[in-house]
Amino acid sequence: MTVSYTLKVANASFGCFFKLLFRWKGSIYKLLYKEFIVFCCLYAMLSVTYRCLLNEKQKSEFAQLARYCNQYTDLIPVSFVLGFYVTLIVNRWWAQYTNIPLPDQLMCVVSSNVHGGDERGRLLRRTMMRYANLSSVLILRSVSTRVLKRFPTMEHIVEAGFMTREELKKYECLFSDYNKYWIPCVWFTNLAAQARRDGRVRDDVALKLLMDELNKYRAKCSMLFHYDWISVPLVYTQVVTIAVYSFFGVCIIGRQFLEPELEEEKPNIDLYVPIFTLLQFFFYSGWLKVAQQIINPFGEDDDDFETNRLIDRNLQVSLLSVDDMYQNLPPLEKDKYWDDQTAAPPYTLATAAETLKPSFMGSAFDMRFLGDAEQSQQVAVTPNMPRARTPMLSRFLSSAPSPAVSLKNFMGRGTRGHHLVRFRGDGYPSPNPNSRNSDLEHDSVGRIDEEETTEDEKESRASEPPTPKVTLRVPRRLEASEQQKKREQPKPPPLVIIVDEPSDESLNSEPAEC
């Protein structure tokens, strides 16, 4: 039976956890006292042999061996290996509990979607839930020793009411080399399909809901089977067990109290009882015993799962929900707070102090601004407001490169030391959408001025071979049509630059920033 002490530690008062140390059932004392007695006896026998039965030479040799063992004891990684192992076992233990099949969700779906107040409808609902419980009994019988002792044969299951004689014959006629816990689930699906054909299940949506809940229930049964089949690797368990027992086997020799070999040496305190070694054995061996106890929680230890109680509870609750509670509703009445806008349930005198505490509204709900009141003022931000940019980024975003290239640059002559300069509003849109001059740009192409080159660049160009001149001839008709189009196009409006007069505040703030 599982040992529950949750109520004892509901309030972390003084000494509440200290009281738990004196409980025997499910305690570490009950689990470890035999190994502890064996360790103490072996240590005492070796200590008596060293003190009373050995001569001086033998004592000297034993002392060398003890010092050697004590020196290299820390090389065994007990805490490292044992910590990972116990963490793995505890996670596996809780996962097995969460995969125990419970029929609570399935029984609610059956009760609400399999209709019929007559004997046929009642029989359908009860049989469906009995099949679900039968499946869980079969899988628990395969993994739990407690359930197997309760139902050692299939006849015991029939006598318990989970299966009829005809169903047992059907079950035994189906030959399979594997576990047949899934057969009642198939019976459930066939019975649900028959209820759909008879109109007991109103639509396909309700039938799908039944199938989904049954598949979840069957998946948990399957997970229990696989947890029982696939254990923690035996190698890992062997390594941890050997590491712990070998560590304390060496401690029996290495932790002995020795006599000083030389007269100059200060004698150690001879306590006869190795207190800290015994505490170390208690912690490490107790840690290992915890993992050994919960590695299979379907046994008969104090903290193993109460599977027989779960079987009784599941059968009783599921049959009660689909039979006695089917369409058995209390009359509809107005609740106590029908005319109240806010419901305020009463408190007892023992809990009245809780009403004095304000309700939690959020961690930043009571935050206040301690500085100037101007920090909390709202400022309207529009897309046309100037934004801070770096000089290099503004240079590339303010204007796009001009596509107008002279023939000299096109042929590759004079490309060194020449830069293309383009004026704003030359007819090509700026890539900056927030630019004020984007609306003033036109299709005309501006002039390109060449910067003066240095004397070194002129000399380098003089040494280069001359480039033949290329003349592009344009037909007269095409040239006349282009000129006519230019005349017809409206003249671009002049570029207007608007400069805002700086205010007194900005003039005062600029020297301060500098």
Side-chain angles (χ1 to χ4, degrees), residues 282-321:
F282 187 81
F283 297 147
Y284 283 165
S285 298
W287 209 0
L288 179 63
K289 278 293 181 180
V290 169
Q292 292 176 352
Q293 185 183 23
I294 65 177
I295 192 172
N296 182 13
F298 294 101
E300 299 180 60
D301 295 327
D302 290 340
D303 278 321
D304 285 342
F305 301 150
E306 300 180 27
T307 49
N308 285 325
R309 292 288 185 90
L310 284 173
I311 290 174
D312 297 341
R313 180 260 176 195
N314 292 343
L315 181 63
Q316 181 181 2
V317 171
S318 58
L319 294 181
L320 183 65
S321 63

Side-chain angles (χ1 to χ4, degrees), residues 59-78:
K59 285 184 179 180
S60 178
E61 294 177 353
F62 180 81
Q64 293 179 2
L65 178 62
R67 291 189 180 93
Y68 176 80
C69 293
N70 190 31
Q71 181 180 0
Y72 293 100
T73 299
D74 296 334
L75 296 180
I76 303 176
V78 181

Side-chain angles (χ1 to χ4, degrees), residues 168-192:
L168 179 60
K169 292 179 181 180
K170 292 282 186 181
Y171 182 85
E172 293 178 347
C173 289
L174 296 173
F175 176 76
S176 178
D177 294 332
Y178 305 100
N179 197 320
K180 297 188 291 185
Y181 68 91
W182 46 269
I183 291 180
C185 294
V186 179
W187 291 345
F188 184 101
T189 58
N190 294 333
L191 196 59

Side-chain angles (χ1 to χ4, degrees), residues 327-340:
Q327 299 297 332
N328 187 9
L329 299 174
L332 295 178
E333 297 179 359
K334 294 182 179 180
D335 57 85
K336 183 178 180 180
Y337 310 101
W338 181 267
D339 297 327
D340 297 338

Side-chain angles (χ1 to χ4, degrees), residues 452-470:
E452 296 181 359
T453 57
T454 60
E455 295 180 358
D456 297 337
E457 292 180 350
K458 291 180 180 179
E459 293 177 359
S460 62
R461 283 203 304 271
S463 60
E464 296 178 358
T467 305
K469 297 183 179 180
V470 179

